[in-house]
Amino acid sequence: DPRALGLTSRHLAYVIYTSGSTGTPKGVMIEHRGLVNLIAWHVQTFCLQPETCCALTAGLAFDASTWELWTALYNGSTLLLPPRAAAGDSLRLLEWWRDQSLEVAFLITPLATIALEDKLVNPTLEYLLVGGDRLHRMPASLTPPLKLINNYGPTEATVVATSGRLSIENAVPHIGRPIANTRVYLLDGHGAPVPLGAVGELYIGGAGVARGYLNRPELTAERFLADPSSGEVGARMYRTGDLARYLPDGNLEFLGRIDDQ
């Protein structure tokens, strides 16, 4: 019994390092509750049948691999692993991926863009989940039954914080809305909510917020702040450094990093 051992959902599940694209790589401490929340949301949304087939295409140093791996283990699904020859060869990986019997699959945004533009999309796929980079434009077409799901989330918020289905009718490729047990705030430079349609910095609260950075207490205190809107004692929110705004339909549009403006 985990409780008899003193184990709780607040114990660490893993530590994974950020890419360092916004500074020195940092070890992010993810607790079990964040990982379980991510996986439960994914299975309930996309994998209602245990016999679902999915693939592991993300590198193990990329946090999306935990999403792919643990979803399959949690659900008892079949997880297909690409051949070693596909490592470092995007075209070979996509050709392998296209030929598998998949219902749900994740691809990093640049790979998904290539697949959609070069007609390398898996024909059995119902859900194509993309993320890890900004989707700059909508694909020219989406062939049924394919549904394109755009996901956003920093490593510090356990892989995915917002998610939304895209349609070729969308004027911009939005990043959807918060996933289960997740809160999103758009705040100005004084920490106040911005008006609907105005640009604000994106803060993330809820079950997916990481414990902080490994052995970096000062940086943890700078980026992980008290969440006054939670109602939960000790609740925190993560300051992403990303800009976004709400679209008229309630979905979020990602506008890039503050540092890039």
Side-chain angles (χ1 to χ4, degrees):
D1 183 354
R3 291 169 295 183
L5 297 173
L7 299 176
T8 74
S9 64
R10 303 309 300 259
H11 278 75
L12 284 184
Y14 62 83
V15 175
I16 191 164
Y17 278 78
T18 63
S19 65
S21 58
T22 57
T24 304
K26 304 170 286 288
V28 180
M29 299 184 287
I30 300 296
E31 297 175 339
H32 279 268
R33 71 172 195 158
L35 181 60
V36 169
N37 186 71
L38 170 74
I39 300 312
W41 161 78
H42 175 97
V43 169
Q44 292 166 12
T45 306
F46 303 114
C47 305
L48 297 180
Q49 302 301 322
E51 59 270 20
T52 299
C53 282
C54 45
L56 179 63
T57 60
L60 292 180
F62 179 32
D63 65 348
S65 66
T66 65
W67 182 18
E68 295 178 296
L69 175 61
W70 286 103
T71 294
L73 291 173
Y74 175 98
N75 201 38
S77 303
T78 298
L79 182 66
L80 303 174
L81 306 182
R84 288 182 181 272
D89 187 332
S90 298
L91 182 57
R92 194 161 188 170
L93 175 64
L94 284 177
E95 289 174 342
W96 169 84
W97 176 82
R98 177 195 57 195
D99 295 337
Q100 307 310 305
S101 179
L102 301 173
E103 288 92 33
V104 180
F106 167 80
L107 287 177
I108 61 171
T109 305
L111 273 183
T113 300
I114 293 172
L116 290 165
E117 291 179 349
D118 295 352
K119 303 188 185 307
L120 290 170
V121 174
N122 186 298
T124 65
L125 207 58
E126 182 176 0
Y127 293 104
L128 174 57
L129 314 175
V130 305
D133 204 347
R134 184 177 182 179
L135 183 64
H136 290 279
R137 60 184 180 277
M138 294 296 301
S141 63
L142 292 172
T143 304
L146 182 66
K147 303 173 183 68
L148 180 62
I149 312 295
N150 195 24
N151 302 278
Y152 162 84
T155 302
E156 293 86 347
T158 316
V159 189
V160 178
T162 71
S163 179
R165 180 181 174 183
L166 298 180
S167 165
I168 56 174
E169 283 78 31
N170 291 129
V172 295
H174 61 74
I175 57 171
R177 306 182 186 206
I179 70 168
N181 302 308
T182 300
R183 297 178 299 276
V184 166
Y185 312 109
L186 295 183
L187 307 180
D188 63 20
H190 302 286
V194 301
L196 184 66
V199 176
E201 184 175 357
L202 221 163
Y203 291 70
I204 300 169
V209 176
R211 182 184 298 181
Y213 297 116
L214 182 66
N215 299 326
R216 301 285 296 276
E218 297 84 3
L219 188 59
T220 295
E222 177 186 325
R223 306 301 296 187
F224 294 85
L225 310 174
D227 183 353
S229 302
S230 165
E232 177 185 349
V233 176
R236 295 172 309 140
M237 57 184 181
Y238 173 66
R239 183 178 184 178
T240 67
D242 293 332
L243 296 175
R245 65 181 172 188
Y246 279 107
L247 297 171
D249 61 4
N251 288 307
L252 285 160
E253 179 186 8
F254 174 74
L255 299 170
R257 299 281 305 169
I258 290 177
D259 297 340
D260 297 336
Q261 303 303 306

